[in-house]
Amino acid sequence: MSEKKLVREITSRDEDFAKWYTDIVLKADLVGYSGVKGCMVIRPYGYAIWENIQRILDGIFKDTGHENVYMPMFIPESLLNKEKDHIEGFAPEVAWVTHGGSELLAERMCIRPTSEVLFCEHYKNIISSYRDLPKLYNQWCSVVRWEKTTRPFLRSREFLWQEGHTAHADADDAVRETEQMLNVYADFCANSLNMPVLKGKKTESDKFAGAVATYCIEALMHDGKALQAGTSHYFGDKFAKVFDITYTNKENKLEFIHQASWGVTTRLIGAVIMSHGDDSGLVLPPAVAPVQVVIIPVAQHKPGVLEKAAELAERLKVAGLRVKLDDSDNSAGWKFSEYEMKGVPLRLEIGPKDIEQNQCVIVRRDTREKAFVGLDNLETEVSELLSALAKGIYQKSLENIQNRTYSCKNTDEINAAFAEKGDGFVKAMWCGDEKCEDEVKERTGAGSRCIPFEQEKISDVCVCCGKPAECMVIWGKAY
Amino acid sequence: MSEKKLVREITSRDEDFAKWYTDIVLKADLVGYSGVKGCMVIRPYGYAIWENIQRILDGIFKDTGHENVYMPMFIPESLLNKEKDHIEGFAPEVAWVTHGGSELLAERMCIRPTSEVLFCEHYKNIISSYRDLPKLYNQWCSVVRWEKTTRPFLRSREFLWQEGHTAHADADDAVRETEQMLNVYADFCANSLNMPVLKGKKTESDKFAGAVATYCIEALMHDGKALQAGTSHYFGDKFAKVFDITYTNKENKLEFIHQASWGVTTRLIGAVIMSHGDDSGLVLPPAVAPVQVVIIPVAQHKPGVLEKAAELAERLKVAGLRVKLDDSDNSAGWKFSEYEMKGVPLRLEIGPKDIEQNQCVIVRRDTREKAFVGLDNLETEVSELLSALAKGIYQKSLENIQNRTYSCKNTDEINAAFAEKGDGFVKAMWCGDEKCEDEVKERTGAGSRCIPFEQEKISDVCVCCGKPAECMVIWGKAY
């Protein structure tokens, strides 16, 4: 790493959140720009976060009985066209392949924006009896959606994700799957990303193209904007009827299968940045941090310092932690700001005086609290500090939601809350009419995020039209 | 699994090897056909083999200092066009994207057939000083090559692979990388796929498009055909000069970087099938088998049998093995042939009499040897049997190479050897002239596979023209 990188000042988070975000993704070496607009290079440090996310989620998927597969990246136009709502939703934003080598293709193909139709085609081939069900498949891959406006991790033309696609004998089982995976996502966000989320159902207008019902988890970023962090969809037998996917039940009668799908993307990395980051850079949740502890030798030219630092690094590695020892000749000041920028949860400093006293200094990235830690119980102390940090940043995010959730009875109250306290989640009642949904967005800038599972009664009437309310909706300005 | 699958007869391997191969990939549930010609669905059992390959290789890549990244899947035409040899090699077989949604793109883009130019563009952005070198990057992804003739795993229009792309300060370092990764591949093939390979250099005409030198590992399939199982390329500063990728050395002078790349693909799964499989189906190397031991309870309705089977499954899982207990109501005969088809290395049978005698029966997939194994040391015995199987199938493959490697002095001898003993590797001298290379292929059907690192002197003169020989070449008919 060359010293030219010493200057790493970034825009203040409260001054210009968007600029702060871009500064971080570039200066923490998460992404690089590529020659294709809207496509990013995910650099090693960013990709290592994704690998940790993958590893944890993949373990949970397998523990809940799911199997990984790989479908082709191409969807022939006629296949994409089969389900009317699905094609309407995706046709405007797919990339089309028209030529193979110098030959014009007989039928053009799009690059998968999502793989429902490919899984349907496959399920039709492999499902025939109730014994073949359920099929609990998942795929890790990249997908392409030709978006107009793009931002690294949040919205890019190509992004990495996982897409679960499952086939079930009956509706109940498919609904259970949809709910189960939404809970998996919510728990993962809480436990591994230390990011609390709301769970709910999307309104009709906001459903996934072709779904009977779409469920989502919604997170609130530091600036009060809402971010959809994951979704699961219930399809009923809609696709099954279009693709004629049937099975023989125990009574030897033909039935349509019922389906679900669910996905999270590299957008989760964007969520982590905007939930926990600060003016010095990233703050990474220990569960997904590529480096959990960075060890920085102080006065490393003094005898015994480097050896001791290496010994501690080895001990922590043996304890199962991800550790980096930086014994480069960069200054301590450079190192401190480098690993703050990169959001390494704990910085461990060790110098001659510490060695004399059989201790080291550990600094938490989130609070910057400094602790003198005895070397005898280093492993335990470090893992306790990591847990404390995880809890701390979760708590801070939770408080952000609590401080920025406003109960409002009409759109004037929404505007007043935003003006006074900044953007956030709005709890307000809704009559169920799409016109009101649009009207609220027009008047306040806040769209419906979800109909949360945890309902409250803010008032009896719709926040917009004053007619009797059907349910409480969470509204917010979106990424 | 429905009983309709009971009939699983496959074509005999020695009768029609190509048909036998297709039968296996379908009947062992490795792949399914998709609606896009030349693109396959990799089903859970096939994908699980790939996941094991990935996990092992990724660990080795990381241990040797490599980092994973993700590059965009798109290459703008102008970027692909930059390096003359590279574009000539790949232009005829790339898929072109011309439209994003309904908009015609200003410049068409291909889907990566390989990512050299993307890495070059990125390296140009991030490398400026000798402190930035080496960059040891790898990527796991899918690539697209619009082939005319396709076969599952061996040659498909989209396939999964890893591509390492590295940047070095000088030629020596880049060459060392090229050699190191070839050795990594060869060792992996030997140790994890139990498949011996030859290491060597490709001839000029067979080099990767744009490379200074291409190295490869060559395996010999059961039918005597050669299969290229992995490659590594040395680029020198060829791409660096075209893309102007320089760094400042310690003397503060500008230098071009030197590059290497290396890759293996899902073709390795094809290699495993064709190396070890037999007339009953797959035979999987224990290191990559999704299931290493299948436990089949005998007379499972008798009291205590299922409990004992479950207990043994649990013990083997705790010992770190991949175990499946099949307690379905399918017949024992069905189960036996099912797991033979799927190539599960060991079948463990346990019934009432075995339990009485505190033993079980273990059958090796490769030799079908039956052993009575005491339950007290089950874990040790099982892992010894797995090692023995791994050694056994390696040895068998090695003997296949030894029995099918012919030293020939002229093309008549090659044809005679093929006619008498079947296809195989031919060791024969070469003058270095491309015309002779072509001529040998025309006369015998065997192309140059590589100039092996382990050279011998079969004669003094070229196998084709009789002029003085430059080196020994391994020739063979190729997949």
Side-chain angles (χ1 to χ4, degrees), chain A residues 100-115:
Chain A
S102 56
E103 259 175 64
L104 181 70
L105 301 180
E107 178 185 12
R108 65 178 185 165
M109 313 172 303
C110 75
I111 299 166
R112 61 183 162 221
T114 180
S115 304

Side-chain angles (χ1 to χ4, degrees), chain B residues 403-404 406-408 412-424 477:
Chain B
N403 295 337
R404 288 172 170 274
Y406 321 124
S407 296
C408 300
D412 287 342
E413 283 187 20
I414 298 179
N415 283 326
F418 285 165
E420 190 190 334
K421 301 179 202 162
D423 293 338
K477 298 181 184 168

Side-chain angles (χ1 to χ4, degrees), chain A residues 4 35 42 44 51 62 68-70 72-73 92 94-99 101 103 121 128 131 137 142 148 158, chain B residues 1 4 35 42 44 51 62 68-70 72-74 92 94-99 101 103 121 128 142 148 158:
Chain A
K4 68 175 172 173
I42 308 184
E51 285 184 304
K62 283 174 177 156
N68 286 332
V69 299
Y70 188 78
M73 71 155 78
V94 295
W96 290 105
V97 176
T98 53
H99 288 76
E103 259 175 64
E121 192 186 40
S128 61
R131 289 165 176 263
Y137 286 178
S142 83
K148 300 262 178 241
E158 181 189 4
Chain B
M1 228 156 269
K4 67 176 170 169
I42 309 183
E51 284 184 305
K62 283 176 177 155
N68 286 333
V69 298
Y70 189 78
M73 70 156 77
F74 299 118
V94 295
W96 290 105
V97 176
T98 54
H99 288 76
E103 260 174 64
E121 191 185 43
S128 59
S142 82
K148 300 261 180 240
E158 181 189 4

Side-chain angles (χ1 to χ4, degrees), chain A residues 41-334:
Chain A
V41 174
I42 308 184
R43 301 185 63 184
Y45 198 67
Y47 197 78
I49 300 174
W50 182 239
E51 285 184 304
N52 287 329
I53 291 175
Q54 278 191 301
R55 183 177 38 74
I56 298 168
L57 279 178
D58 197 64
I60 302 173
F61 296 163
K62 283 174 177 156
D63 287 345
T64 46
H66 298 87
E67 299 179 290
N68 286 332
V69 299
Y70 188 78
M71 294 282 158
M73 71 155 78
F74 298 119
I75 304 177
E77 186 163 19
S78 55
L79 184 65
L80 187 68
N81 281 343
K82 274 202 165 181
E83 210 290 323
K84 190 178 56 64
D85 294 335
H86 195 64
I87 175 72
E88 268 176 28
F90 283 106
E93 58 178 37
V94 295
W96 290 105
V97 176
T98 53
H99 288 76
S102 56
E103 259 175 64
L104 181 70
L105 301 180
E107 178 185 12
R108 65 178 185 165
M109 313 172 303
C110 75
I111 299 166
R112 61 183 162 221
T114 180
S115 304
E116 271 74 12
V117 296
L118 292 163
F119 277 86
C120 282
E121 192 186 40
H122 184 55
Y123 282 147
K124 182 172 169 58
N125 289 335
I126 63 166
I127 293 171
S128 61
S129 149
Y130 70 92
R131 289 165 176 263
D132 299 324
L133 294 172
K135 287 281 183 231
L136 306 175
Y137 286 178
N138 175 63
Q139 145 166 299
W140 292 95
C141 65
S142 83
V143 290
V144 171
R145 298 180 187 174
W146 214 249
E147 308 268 5
K148 300 262 178 241
T149 327
T150 60
R151 294 184 66 192
F153 296 123
L154 299 180
R155 180 164 275 117
S156 50
R157 286 181 168 178
E158 181 189 4
F159 56 89
L160 303 180
W161 79 344
Q162 60 67 219
E163 46 179 329
H165 294 271
T166 60
H168 307 262
D170 57 42
D172 283 355
D173 202 42
V175 168
R176 261 196 305 277
E177 170 81 9
T178 320
E179 286 163 359
Q180 172 185 251
M181 298 322 289
L182 197 76
N183 287 329
V184 161
Y185 289 155
D187 293 348
F188 171 78
C189 285
N191 302 331
S192 299
L193 305 184
N194 311 133
M195 181 176 77
V197 293
L198 296 181
K199 293 185 272 190
K201 193 177 167 176
K202 286 278 177 196
T203 62
E204 279 299 302
S205 67
D206 227 13
K207 273 186 341 189
F208 180 81
V212 170
T214 289
Y215 302 88
C216 64
I217 50 171
E218 294 284 326
L220 194 71
M221 303 296 95
H222 175 79
D223 67 343
K225 292 233 170 62
L227 187 88
Q228 179 178 301
T231 50
S232 70
H233 314 291
Y234 170 62
F235 292 108
D237 57 8
K238 257 183 97 172
F239 278 84
K241 284 182 171 159
V242 172
F243 285 83
D244 190 31
I245 317 172
T246 56
Y247 70 96
T248 322
N249 69 12
K250 288 186 188 173
E251 289 75 41
N252 215 26
K253 275 172 62 180
L254 269 191
E255 302 263 15
F256 286 110
I257 63 163
H258 289 71
Q259 287 169 279
S261 80
W262 32 277
V264 295
T265 77
T266 31
R267 169 176 260 211
L268 286 176
I269 299 173
V272 162
I273 299 169
M274 296 196 296
S275 290
H276 306 310
D278 64 22
D279 281 352
S280 304
L282 278 176
V283 176
L284 289 179
V288 299
V291 177
Q292 296 169 310
V293 185
V294 61
I295 300 185
I296 298 184
V298 176
Q300 63 185 40
H301 56 282
K302 295 264 174 82
V305 171
L306 277 182
E307 290 76 2
K308 193 52 150 188
E311 179 198 317
L312 299 184
E314 192 49 37
R315 274 176 60 187
L316 294 177
K317 272 179 204 166
V318 168
L321 295 166
R322 295 186 289 273
V323 184
K324 177 178 172 147
L325 165 59
D326 186 348
D327 56 4
S328 68
D329 56 7
N330 289 311
S331 67
W334 184 91

Side-chain angles (χ1 to χ4, degrees), chain B residues 58 95 166 189 313 361 369:
Chain B
D58 197 65
T166 60
C189 285
V361 175
E369 270 172 309

